[in-house]
Amino acid sequence: MPELSLRRARTIIRKTLEHGTGAGMKPLSVIVLDAGGNIQAFERSDGASPGRFQIAHGKAYGAVMLGMAGTAQMARAEAQAYFIAAANAALDGRLIPVPGGVLVRDAKGRVLGAVGVTGDSSDNDAVAAKAGIEAVGLVAEV
């Protein structure tokens, strides 16, 4: 199974935070999970509220566990709320099905993990994650 190294995870976080700062976003929190849903790295910007860890984790966890990014999860929740509710129950209530949970893929389309970003609007969170992922030469599925 391909891996998402700690070095790349840290670079994704740094580039995501830099993008957020450059775009004038509110303080962000960023988590990177591997393909098994395990935490590779996390950082919370100065001024970000402490509960943002759980939100970032829920966004990324849902993406990697369901194999669909937060934007697709939100659309699925709007179309079939019962599916997302059932999936959330099956995964111990750890999903946050909104943009900002972004799948990380390699050039061959294999899922390497997911990035969860929170702190600004969900759409802006997803844009920041995409910038961080693409900065390390990987493919972001928002």
Side-chain angles (χ1 to χ4, degrees):
M1 172 180 277
E3 293 185 21
L4 185 57
S5 69
L6 178 59
R7 181 176 177 198
R8 259 190 170 162
R10 288 177 173 161
T11 302
I12 288 169
I13 289 172
R14 187 178 79 249
K15 294 297 186 178
T16 298
L17 294 174
E18 287 174 3
H19 179 86
T21 300
M25 293 181 189
K26 295 176 184 173
L28 300 178
S29 295
V30 185
I31 195 165
V32 178
L33 305 182
D34 67 17
N38 302 297
I39 299 169
Q40 281 291 98
F42 170 79
E43 283 192 34
R44 181 173 59 91
S45 296
D46 292 340
S49 60
R52 294 294 178 170
F53 172 83
Q54 289 83 355
I55 295 169
H57 186 268
K59 288 181 175 188
Y61 192 76
V64 79
M65 288 295 116
L66 296 178
M68 66 173 67
T71 302
Q73 290 177 57
M74 187 170 78
R76 184 79 181 264
E78 291 168 349
Q80 295 178 308
Y82 60 87
F83 170 78
I84 292 296
N88 204 9
L91 295 170
D92 299 322
R94 293 186 283 175
L95 304 183
I96 299 186
V98 297
V102 180
L103 284 172
V104 180
R105 295 185 182 272
D106 65 13
K108 293 182 180 180
R110 294 177 292 203
V111 173
L112 303 181
V115 174
V117 178
T118 184
D120 206 275
S121 72
S122 291
D123 289 336
N124 283 344
D125 293 343
V127 168
K130 184 176 189 286
I133 294 164
E134 291 177 349
V136 298
L138 295 172
V139 178
E141 183 181 323
V142 297

